[in-house]
Amino acid sequence: MANAKSKEKPSSPIGASLQRNDVYEKVTGSAIYVDDLQFGNKLLYAHVLRSPHPHALIKSIDTSKAEKLPGVKVVVTGKDFPERMGLYLKDKTIFALDRVRFIGEPVAAVAAVSEEIAMKACDLIEVEYEVLEAVFDAEYGASEKAPLIHPQLGEYYCPNYLFPKPGTNISNHFKIRRGNCEAAWKECAYIVERTFHIPHIQHVPIETHGAIAMMDEKGKMTIWASSQSPFAQRNIIAQALHITQTDLRVIAPLVGGGFGSKAGVTMEAIPAALATKCKGWPVKLMLTREEEFFTNFVRQGLTTHVKVGCDKDGNILALKNVMYWDAGASTEYGANVVRAAGYSSSGPYDIPNIETDSICVYTNHPIGGAYRGFGMSELHTGIDQAIDELAEKAGFDKVTFLKKNAISEGDIIVTGMKMHAMGIQECIDNVAKSIEFSKKEEPTSPDRVRGKGIAIMWKAPATSPNPGSSAWVELAEDGKVTVGLGGQELGQGTFTVMAQMAAAALGVKYEDVRIAGPVDTQYSPYEWQTVASRLTWSMGNAVRAAAADARRQILDVVAEAWKENPEDLDIVNGVVVSYKSEKETPLANLVIYGLPRENNGGWIGGPIVGRGSFMPQYITNLDLETGQGPRAVVHYTVGCEGLDIEIDKNTGKIHVIKAAASFDVGKAINPELVKGQIEGGFVQGLSSALFEEIRLRNGVMTNPSFVDYRIATAPDVNFPLDVPFVEVPQDDGPWGARGVGEHPMVPTIAALGNAIYNATGIRLDGPPYSAEKVYLAMYDAGLTK
């Protein structure tokens, strides 16, 4: 029990590396396993007939043979569900209507009593196609010569911060026109121009996409889905199926990996569509690993043309950045990736003259969507390598050049917004120190060359202007706390952090807080999506507000009962104490039953439920032609990474000797979780830099398995990784915190590319920096035989 006389508070759970297995109030498995006990033999299995062509008109579909197959419950096609849907740009339907736009696009689906029957039924569906010319290159796709992939683009709904060009394949063209680049080039003593190509890659979550949908006889639907966006799914699918959001419930158990792939709506609408045709029957669809690779979201490809120049004193004067994004057959989510790259297109550099064209292009490739980093890895791959080369050309030490040109508090950044406080200088110093960047070190073998690379980054939460969060805090008779929230646990530790925040704001022990789950749109408070590294900041603000609301209610009750001022009261470790009268009482019972008035005069209080919400209200739109405006984003997280590598001259294999990553997290609510996110993000970034690539040939993915699609594993990361973080508080973050989930994979490709250049003098035009690619480049340069 707290000691009111001491007036000393215990240590806060904020900033503590707390961990607990029981923070989740109800532990449930993923959507894969929901059906085992819940549905029994009434469960139907779905299979999808997919397009074999990258671009073709659908002339006819005959489902009659499939419908007659014993065991088939329902067969659906695009004509059954013609409504367009999408999170940002509504440009896709659940099933293809008049044409198919990529290999793997859903054309029809079957629900049957077994997977085998569903697959056989799909084989019986007859589709007649008229093959059309396809687009496999974004720059060509943006030209007037390319065939139109979405002739009806001008009819699609899109928000007023996206700028499609009807009559073309350009679904969003974001521009920055700041200063006068043409005049600035004449003032530049040194100029670097480079073109980089960044390939599509896959998220490869361990758990593939899965969903079960069931509509009851009253027309109310429940979807169980492995999802980062249960509330967004409720909204989008309800609109597509013409049912109200109130009649659609999404339950999202713990997710077995997301990285952006399970944001928005992809395959979840398919079992939902089938379920509308067989009321009372649950329909399950699980993607195979091969389907996971190319039928859902992938990271968009990018071709970027970078031109950057500085004066003789090393001040960067101008940057031109033209980016052609290979966004695939639908850009309903990817159009906002392109927007995010546009408003961050300068990188974390103070550059007075900037010209950016960030162009989202329809192609007949898989659909590009959210991926950890949301366009920033691709963007920084180009600008950070060009600036690294510029520093060398101008004769500057690269760390000095970065610090000289990095953004500072109060600077007017690329969109006209004033930069907030942040610690990018400290991040650069941390990394340079950790890898001893200025020290020239010899390779460990005469058959190797050695080099060091460094790169900086920034990233803002890439959202709509008004993404909301809400939370509730409820107390039980024993004084313990349950927190309701709508954000999802993906393994990043958000439930732990929210429990810490609730405990600190309310005044209870961390061990006495539980998170209600699973996330359920019928009972959980609203959360926009678990994306954009925004939960610690946005949902954290809502949880803190809900806990503060509950705290206020409790103190008001006790103050009235004790005839004291609430300002003289506190809650310490679950006990209300008075610093004036030195009274104290535990939360147990009073948070349900209240407290008695004097002389049996009734009762004060009742069940305590705190409510909180948060939505940024200060994001403004930007000018269509210049990209300028008061405030494009809520804030930026900044950071730096560096690598010390050796390259085997006989094989081209890269060996990482040591690495470092430093990010300004505002306030580390849980330092160990912060370190875990930085380490994991760095490894994922390194994997994308060394190995990962969706190999596409005429729209066909040629490596849709882990046999041919390589990701980093434990032997690839057997090196020291230093992760010193910086804490410069964010003014609108809870306890000053800001997100750091995506950021650690943003500068990794550029840092590695810079290290390769430092070791070999060769500037490769893009990842993956495979042993074969590096060896052949060294061979062509005469560095090896």
Side-chain angles (χ1 to χ4, degrees):
M1 184 167 288
N3 184 351
K5 295 181 180 180
S6 71
K7 300 185 181 181
E8 293 182 1
K9 286 191 174 184
S11 59
S12 170
I14 300 301
S17 295
L18 301 172
Q19 291 182 326
R20 219 170 76 235
N21 293 328
D22 62 344
V23 67
Y24 192 33
E25 194 266 336
K26 180 183 178 184
V27 178
T28 59
S30 71
I32 297 175
Y33 305 110
V34 169
D35 62 293
D36 290 346
L37 297 176
Q38 188 163 345
F39 301 118
N41 58 11
K42 196 172 184 181
L43 183 70
L44 299 179
Y45 297 86
H47 192 69
V48 182
L49 179 67
R50 300 183 181 277
S51 168
H53 303 293
H55 197 198
L57 295 178
I58 299 175
K59 307 300 289 184
S60 66
I61 302 178
D62 184 352
T63 62
S64 58
K65 293 179 182 178
E67 292 167 357
K68 294 175 183 177
L69 185 68
V72 170
K73 189 70 176 177
V74 63
V75 181
V76 296
T77 65
K79 65 179 176 59
D80 298 305
F81 305 98
E83 191 74 25
R84 295 190 189 100
M85 63 179 185
L87 184 69
Y88 294 99
L89 175 64
K90 292 187 177 182
D91 69 353
K92 72 178 183 181
T93 51
I94 300 174
F95 302 98
L97 290 174
D98 59 330
R99 69 173 68 200
V100 291
R101 295 179 171 88
F102 72 102
I103 291 175
E105 181 172 6
V107 175
V110 173
V113 296
S114 72
E115 292 182 80
E116 293 77 13
I117 292 174
M119 293 173 67
K120 186 175 181 179
C122 281
D123 291 339
L124 295 175
I125 298 173
E126 297 175 356
V127 185
E128 181 185 355
Y129 297 96
E130 179 185 322
V131 176
L132 301 174
E133 180 187 350
V135 175
F136 302 126
D137 178 84
E139 285 194 74
Y140 170 67
S143 72
E144 295 180 355
K145 299 178 181 179
L148 293 183
I149 297 173
H150 284 265
Q152 296 172 297
L153 175 59
E155 301 174 12
Y156 298 166
Y157 166 82
C158 73
N160 61 6
Y161 48 83
L162 299 181
F163 310 117
K165 290 189 171 183
T168 75
N169 288 320
I170 298 172
S171 63
N172 189 24
H173 185 172
F174 186 96
K175 301 176 185 177
I176 294 287
R177 299 293 187 268
R178 181 174 181 230
N180 187 334
C181 276
E182 290 307 313
W185 298 127
K186 299 173 184 178
E187 305 298 321
C188 291
Y190 307 98
I191 294 175
V192 168
E193 292 188 71
R194 285 285 181 183
T195 295
F196 295 92
H197 304 280
I198 297 90
H200 300 79
I201 63 175
Q202 232 297 321
H203 312 72
V204 290
I206 295 300
E207 176 198 36
T208 63
H209 279 67
I212 298 169
M214 182 172 67
M215 177 172 275
D216 66 21
E217 298 297 336
K218 296 181 180 179
K220 294 186 177 182
M221 177 175 288
T222 301
I223 299 173
W224 294 261
S226 178
S227 173
Q228 296 178 232
S229 310
F231 288 91
Q233 288 182 352
R234 177 184 68 177
N235 185 42
I236 295 169
I237 295 174
Q239 293 181 51
L241 300 181
H242 295 285
I243 59 179
T244 70
Q245 287 84 350
T246 303
D247 286 340
L248 199 157
R249 176 186 181 189
V250 179
I251 301 173
L254 297 177
V255 174
F259 312 110
S261 71
K262 294 171 183 173
V265 174
T266 54
M267 55 71 69
E268 300 83 8
I270 296 174
L274 286 163
T276 64
K277 304 295 185 181
C278 52
K279 291 182 179 179
W281 293 78
V283 181
K284 176 182 178 180
L285 177 63
M286 288 297 305
L287 296 191
T288 65
R289 177 58 63 184
E290 183 176 357
E291 287 177 312
E292 185 74 27
F293 267 109
F294 65 90
T295 69
N296 269 287
F297 285 157
V298 301
R299 192 179 78 178
Q300 299 179 126
L302 173 65
T303 297
T304 178
H305 305 286
V306 182
K307 180 179 180 180
V308 61
C310 68
D311 62 20
K312 62 181 178 60
D313 297 319
N315 300 300
I316 300 178
L317 300 181
L319 170 69
K320 183 176 182 180
N321 200 349
V322 181
M323 295 176 279
Y324 291 94
W325 295 86
D326 185 338
S330 163
T331 66
E332 58 100 356
Y333 211 127
N336 197 47
V337 176
V338 172
R339 170 176 166 262
Y343 61 59
S344 298
S345 56
S346 67
Y349 300 97
D350 181 22
I351 305 175
N353 303 285
I354 302 171
E355 182 178 329
T356 295
D357 291 278
S358 188
I359 305 168
C360 188
V361 185
Y362 286 120
T363 68
N364 294 114
H365 281 150
I367 296 174
Y371 184 100
R372 189 177 191 177
F374 211 73
M376 296 302 103
S377 298
E378 304 92 288
L379 164 70
H380 284 79
T381 294
I383 56 177
D384 282 342
Q385 291 193 78
I387 287 174
D388 179 84
E389 202 166 329
L390 182 65
E392 181 178 80
K393 196 170 186 178
F396 280 83
D397 169 78
K398 293 177 180 178
V399 169
T400 301
F401 194 79
L402 290 179
K403 296 187 69 174
K404 182 180 184 68
N405 288 286
I407 205 80
S408 299
E409 180 183 359
D411 285 346
I412 303 301
I413 63 173
V414 57
T415 58
M417 168 181 159
K418 183 181 288 188
M419 189 63 186
H420 55 77
M422 46 83 227
I424 196 166
Q425 299 285 340
E426 296 93 324
C427 293
I428 297 170
D429 286 339
N430 285 343
V431 170
K433 180 181 178 181
S434 292
I435 66 170
E436 299 178 287
F437 186 82
S438 61
K439 181 180 178 181
K440 179 68 176 178
E441 298 184 74
E442 295 299 317
T444 58
S445 165
D447 291 330
R448 295 183 178 185
V449 291
R450 189 165 182 171
K452 298 179 182 180
I454 192 169
I456 60 177
M457 63 73 64
W458 69 353
K459 183 190 180 299
T463 68
S464 63
N466 56 339
S469 298
S470 59
W472 50 256
V473 169
E474 186 176 57
L475 290 94
E477 290 89 342
D478 58 6
K480 295 186 178 181
V481 181
T482 299
V483 178
L485 42 78
Q488 183 61 286
E489 178 60 66
L490 310 174
Q492 80 278 44
T494 193
F495 285 178
T496 298
V497 168
M498 294 304 125
Q500 288 180 252
M501 288 186 177
L506 183 55
V508 300
K509 296 178 182 178
Y510 164 73
E511 292 79 8
D512 289 343
V513 180
R514 300 290 185 273
I515 304 297
V519 176
D520 183 335
T521 60
Q522 184 165 302
Y523 301 110
S524 302
Y526 177 83
E527 180 60 54
W528 183 64
Q529 294 188 92
T530 301
V531 297
S533 305
R534 56 181 287 280
L535 289 194
T536 296
W537 163 73
S538 181
M539 192 167 73
N541 274 323
V543 168
R544 186 179 190 181
D549 182 41
R551 175 187 176 88
R552 176 192 56 77
Q553 295 176 50
I554 294 166
L555 296 183
D556 284 350
V557 168
V558 176
E560 184 178 350
W562 289 355
K563 294 183 169 49
E564 297 192 30
N565 292 322
E567 293 78 15
D568 294 324
L569 304 180
D570 198 358
I571 304 176
V572 180
N573 282 343
V575 177
V576 180
V577 299
S578 169
Y579 295 133
K580 182 178 181 181
S581 66
E582 298 187 352
K583 291 181 179 180
E584 60 182 47
T585 184
L587 293 180
N589 292 320
L590 85 82
V591 293
I592 296 294
Y593 306 117
L595 292 174
R597 299 181 189 273
E598 288 184 350
N599 302 318
N600 298 316
W603 290 77
I604 304 167
I608 300 295
V609 180
R611 298 173 178 86
S613 64
F614 174 78
M615 186 181 78
Q617 300 179 8
Y618 35 77
I619 302 176
T620 62
N621 279 8
L622 303 176
D623 184 83
L624 168 64
E625 294 299 327
T626 67
Q628 302 300 290
R631 188 161 180 174
V633 300
V634 291
H635 58 251
Y636 281 93
T637 296
V638 299
C640 179
E641 289 182 354
L643 295 102
D644 179 3
I645 67 167
E646 292 183 349
I647 303 174
D648 190 315
K649 291 188 289 185
N650 297 315
T651 65
K653 182 178 180 180
I654 294 172
H655 300 267
V656 179
I657 305 303
K658 56 188 171 185
S662 182
F663 294 85
D664 179 3
V665 303
K667 172 64 179 178
I669 303 298
N670 188 308
E672 285 304 310
L673 289 177
V674 167
K675 291 177 182 178
Q677 284 295 291
I678 295 174
E679 291 168 352
F682 181 91
V683 170
Q684 191 170 358
L686 187 64
S687 182
S688 69
L690 287 173
F691 307 121
E692 296 187 50
E693 178 183 17
I694 292 178
R695 299 191 202 118
L696 293 163
R697 185 176 302 153
N698 296 325
V700 178
M701 182 179 181
T702 62
N703 59 329
S705 77
F706 287 128
V707 174
D708 298 306
Y709 188 97
R710 176 92 151 82
I711 62 173
T713 57
D716 301 306
V717 292
N718 186 25
F719 54 83
L721 173 60
D722 193 21
V723 291
F725 55 79
V726 175
E727 294 179 293
V728 176
Q730 183 62 43
D731 58 359
D732 63 348
W735 290 274
R738 63 172 75 90
V740 73
E742 299 168 277
H743 311 80
M745 78 167 293
V746 169
T748 320
I749 298 174
L752 182 59
N754 291 340
I756 294 169
Y757 181 77
N758 181 247
T760 65
I762 299 169
R763 182 69 68 183
L764 298 173
D765 69 353
Y769 303 130
S770 64
E772 179 184 19
K773 182 184 288 187
V774 173
Y775 174 81
L776 290 175
M778 290 194 299
Y779 181 84
D780 290 342
L783 299 180
T784 189
K785 297 181 180 179

